[in-house]
Amino acid sequence: RSYFGDIHTAHYLLLASIYFISILYVWMLKRSKNIPLQACVQLLTDVLIITALIYTTGGIESIFSFLYILSIFSGSILLYRKGGMIMASASSISYGLLLDLHYYGVIHPLSSRLSYPEQYQSYYLFFNIVANMAAFYLVAYLSSFLSEQARKSRAELQHKESDLIRLEAL
């Protein structure tokens, strides 16, 4: 028994699958021609892994919903605004679907102490989903804004360097 609840075999399987997927990512990186597509696949896989982690740690009761924000931030850095918004949307859909399915008793997450998730009021669930979705899109917007600014600064710097080289040649 740990601080976060009972450790189940599913936790170990999830950890092993994360290691395997990481090795697969490295292998794919060496052979891939389309890096943006690979980044998108990896980021969407990360959303699925985070959703699985939330499932194995209690669903509605899980404290790990903040991990989606790290994935959204990575999407904004790698794929700029489009990537950040795609990741925010995928995170919102995954998290909202997981919590709704848990609330209505369709799924029963591991480590959940609730025998009847309906103990939560529907407004609490709605607030939880909407607050997380707002945070996901806010992080996507702000991080993609910074990423776009960095890209523009790099382009301006390259332009200035080429101007300097032409000036020196003159």
Side-chain angles (χ1 to χ4, degrees), residues 75-149:
S76 294
I77 289 172
L78 296 174
L79 302 171
Y80 304 105
R81 177 157 293 134
K82 182 177 167 184
M85 292 302 169
I86 288 171
M87 295 309 299
S89 298
S91 298
S92 297
I93 292 168
S94 298
Y95 187 66
L97 186 63
L98 178 71
L99 265 56
D100 281 342
L101 291 176
H102 184 198
Y103 180 76
Y104 290 111
V106 177
I107 60 172
H108 304 286
L110 304 174
S111 303
S112 179
R113 295 175 299 210
L114 298 177
S115 55
Y116 300 102
E118 297 87 23
Q119 292 174 6
Y120 282 108
Q121 300 296 322
S122 59
Y123 66 85
Y124 171 79
L125 182 72
F126 179 74
F127 175 77
N128 193 0
I129 292 171
V130 169
N132 277 289
M133 287 175 65
F136 296 162
Y137 282 104
L138 186 62
V139 166
Y141 177 75
L142 293 175
S143 60
S144 64
F145 177 76
L146 292 174
S147 185
E148 292 287 338
Q149 291 297 323

Side-chain angles (χ1 to χ4, degrees), residues 6 16 30 33-34 63 68 111-112 152 161 170:
D6 293 332
K30 292 180 180 180
K33 302 277 189 257
N34 191 350
I63 61 170
Y68 285 117
S111 303
S112 179
K152 288 178 185 175
E161 285 178 353
L170 182 64

Side-chain angles (χ1 to χ4, degrees), residues 9-65:
T9 304
H11 294 115
Y12 293 114
L13 291 173
L14 183 62
L15 186 62
S17 66
I18 290 170
Y19 282 127
F20 175 73
I21 289 170
S22 297
I23 292 168
L24 187 64
Y25 286 166
V26 171
W27 181 79
M28 287 172 51
L29 184 61
K30 292 180 180 180
R31 288 162 179 58
S32 180
K33 302 277 189 257
N34 191 350
I35 300 297
L37 177 64
Q38 182 180 350
C40 191
V41 168
Q42 286 182 6
L43 291 167
L44 291 173
T45 304
D46 289 347
V47 168
L48 292 176
I49 289 171
I50 293 167
T51 305
L53 177 67
I54 292 172
Y55 174 80
T56 61
T57 56
I60 294 173
E61 304 163 47
S62 180
I63 61 170
F64 293 109
S65 63

